[in-house]
Amino acid sequence: MATEETKKRPRAKNARPKIERAALKLFVADGVDASTTREIAEVAGVSEGALYRHYKGKDELAIALFMETHNRLGKTLVEAWSQGGDLEDKVRRAVTAYCALADEDWLLFSFHLLSMNRFLPHDKRREDDPLTLAENIVKGLIAEKEIPDCDPALMAGMMFGIVFQCAQNKAYNRLPGPFSAHIEPFTRAIVAVLRQE
């Protein structure tokens, strides 16, 4: 049954992007569990019903936002790595693409980063998830004798760890400036890890 408030409020145009931005702000500031659909709707300037027209609830919304960035990370990695060049060139391109994605929408990126432990279990291992792609890249580098033999899963984790830990520091306001300001140190560190120097 419609309340007086919802009767007066016209149906929001372009409600979905407003809902997503409001959710991101609340999820990053307060966490998914502490945020309510009512708060998300209020911050978005839409009715709670508008949120439910697009998502079954805040958990579905949170997973969708997480997976949007997660899937983009995989595509970005493949695009950056598939171009020519030596190991350092490829790593630099991948790091540059990753940092550009972070700088493009830091709020969305922060949410992804800070929610990994919660939402990665919802992403079944698949050929195009970022970690599997990184493991396959490492396997290719080993096969081509570009790097010493190693455990691809461990190496992929170490490569991502270099950038993820720094991104976490930035999310907690410990690393100033745009994330792309740190491309060169990230590149050098990842190349050193891959070469096991």
Side-chain angles (χ1 to χ4, degrees):
M1 183 171 178
T3 65
E4 285 304 311
E5 181 187 337
T6 56
K7 284 180 185 175
K8 291 177 187 175
R9 184 180 281 168
R11 186 173 266 208
K13 292 184 180 179
N14 301 319
R16 187 181 197 119
K18 292 175 187 174
I19 291 164
E20 290 174 350
R21 293 314 290 179
L24 284 171
K25 288 174 187 170
L26 289 167
F27 292 164
V28 169
D30 303 328
V32 174
D33 291 334
S35 304
T36 66
T37 54
R38 171 177 260 163
E39 289 173 324
I40 294 166
E42 285 174 9
V43 171
V46 302
S47 70
E48 199 170 355
L51 187 150
Y52 284 109
R53 279 193 287 280
H54 296 285
Y55 297 99
K56 291 178 185 170
K58 71 173 179 178
D59 289 335
E60 183 182 79
L61 170 56
I63 291 168
L65 291 168
F66 177 84
M67 290 306 297
E68 176 186 335
T69 302
H70 198 63
N71 290 332
R72 279 189 70 194
L73 283 172
K75 289 176 187 167
T76 298
L77 181 61
V78 169
E79 288 169 11
W81 201 266
S82 63
Q83 300 171 36
D86 64 13
L87 178 63
E88 191 167 333
D89 292 334
K90 290 177 181 179
V91 170
R92 184 175 291 106
R93 266 197 312 275
V95 168
T96 300
Y98 182 90
C99 290
L101 185 62
D103 289 339
E104 173 189 312
D105 189 344
W106 182 252
L107 185 63
L108 180 60
F109 189 83
S110 293
F111 171 68
H112 176 265
L113 183 71
L114 299 174
S115 302
M116 267 193 222
N117 290 342
R118 179 177 183 150
F119 294 116
L120 271 181
H122 292 277
D123 185 27
K124 295 185 175 91
R125 185 180 175 102
R126 52 195 165 93
E127 286 305 306
D128 63 344
D129 76 77
L131 277 172
T132 301
L133 290 168
E135 287 175 24
N136 289 338
I137 285 169
V138 171
K139 288 175 187 174
L141 292 170
I142 294 167
E144 294 164 12
K145 306 278 191 225
E146 286 193 61
I147 63 170
D149 193 20
C150 59
D151 178 336
L154 177 64
M155 189 59 66
M158 291 169 66
M159 288 169 23
F160 278 122
I162 289 167
V163 184
F164 284 175
Q165 186 59 55
C166 293
Q168 253 188 339
N169 286 354
K170 180 167 174 51
Y172 293 126
N173 297 313
R174 292 175 156 260
L175 191 65
F179 206 50
S180 55
H182 311 288
I183 290 169
E184 287 309 311
F186 292 155
T187 300
R188 288 193 302 272
I190 291 170
V191 169
V193 165
L194 283 168
R195 290 181 174 152
Q196 300 178 46
E197 294 175 339

